[in-house]
Amino acid sequence: MLVERSMHPEWLSNSYLVADEPGGRAVIIDSGAPAEPLLDAIERHEVTPEQLLLTHHQLEAERLLDVDTAFEPGEVLEVGGLRIDAIHTPGHTAGMLAFRVNDSEVFTGDTLFKGSVGGVRAPGSTTFEDLRSSVMDVLMKLPPQTVVRPGHTDPTTIGEEWEGNAFVRLWRGLDEESHERCRVGEEEAVLVLFAPDYDGGHKAWVRWTASGRDDIVPGSAVERY
């Protein structure tokens, strides 16, 4: 199996070409990055892309491939020597999918990143509980050597995130919650965790004072005091 990546220079979002072998059959996963590097890789490896698979809705998919597929959770797609399992991982969006390829790599979209996780306050998101379950009850159950290819920036492994991801460590009960007070917009909250994010900024786990509900928000939205 071969994997090539294109990353958007500003959004740091990834698109992937995944092929069974040079000269073989391929799929493209996600479309949030410039098409040209993947088009070059298609020509260089002489592969034939047959499907465009989206972990969640993205723009300009048509630049990469004319045809996409309705791929439901639990279904298996076989393209040449590729076996692709669709795994439902709601949280960042209601319909978010992760694609596990040949039981060795998982493309996680905006659910799990290297050292971070997705937010749950953007339009289309569901709940903190959904995201936690998608990470802990689904992705973290994969073998530790599984390569994680996220929707933004660099790859990692399930084992690395199990040991080092600040959100995962807190969900595992290894680290303690913070009780620092903060404000997000007009809402008062407890800043449970303030951790590095994939873009060099921060991601915040907050607990709203009024409702006691948890959310994950951009660190830039948090006013600490």
Side-chain angles (χ1 to χ4, degrees):
M1 185 171 74
L2 63 89
V3 179
E4 295 275 1
R5 176 179 69 154
S6 173
M7 186 172 73
H8 194 284
E10 296 178 11
W11 305 333
L12 307 181
S13 51
N14 294 324
S15 298
Y16 298 95
L17 172 71
V18 185
D20 56 358
E21 60 184 353
R25 300 164 67 184
V27 298
I28 290 169
I29 297 179
D30 286 338
S31 60
E36 286 74 16
L38 298 190
L39 296 173
D40 290 344
I42 290 168
E43 183 175 356
R44 185 170 67 255
H45 294 296
E46 299 182 331
V47 297
T48 303
E50 299 183 9
Q51 303 284 355
L52 170 63
L53 306 178
L54 301 181
T55 57
H56 58 301
H57 179 69
Q58 295 165 324
L59 300 176
E60 298 198 14
E62 70 279 359
R63 295 201 61 206
L64 290 168
L65 203 61
D66 291 334
V67 180
D68 61 1
T69 184
F71 199 13
E72 299 296 329
E75 290 186 349
V76 176
L77 176 68
E78 294 188 358
V79 177
L82 301 175
R83 175 188 168 91
I84 305 167
D85 297 277
I87 305 170
H88 191 208
T89 53
H92 184 71
T93 67
M96 180 73 69
L97 295 176
F99 298 120
R100 188 182 185 194
V101 182
N102 288 0
D103 294 333
S104 63
E105 307 208 2
V106 61
F107 295 76
T108 57
D110 286 2
T111 299
L112 178 67
F113 307 115
K114 182 178 178 65
S116 188
V117 298
V120 291
R121 289 277 281 182
S125 63
T126 59
T127 65
F128 173 92
E129 290 75 17
D130 280 347
L131 183 78
R132 188 212 64 79
S133 180
S134 291
V135 173
M136 298 302 293
D137 300 333
V138 179
L139 296 175
M140 288 298 122
K141 301 300 184 184
L142 298 176
Q145 69 271 19
T146 303
V147 175
V148 174
R149 298 196 182 270
H152 294 268
T153 64
D154 296 331
T156 180
T157 67
I158 292 297
E160 289 175 28
E161 298 313 300
W162 179 255
E163 296 295 339
N165 187 301
F167 292 90
V168 172
R169 289 182 59 86
L170 201 52
W171 282 324
R172 291 177 62 196
L174 297 180
D175 299 331
E176 294 185 1
E177 295 185 2
S178 167
H179 300 286
E180 180 182 351
R181 308 298 301 180
C182 72
R183 182 181 294 110
V184 181
E186 299 298 320
E187 297 184 72
E188 301 288 334
V190 172
L191 184 59
V192 177
L193 177 65
F194 195 72
D197 204 5
Y198 65 80
D199 60 357
H202 291 84
K203 190 72 65 65
W205 170 355
V206 298
R207 182 167 297 133
W208 306 112
T209 302
S211 66
R213 184 171 55 86
D214 290 356
D215 268 324
I216 296 176
V217 303
S220 59
V222 174
E223 179 184 352
R224 306 172 75 172
Y225 60 89

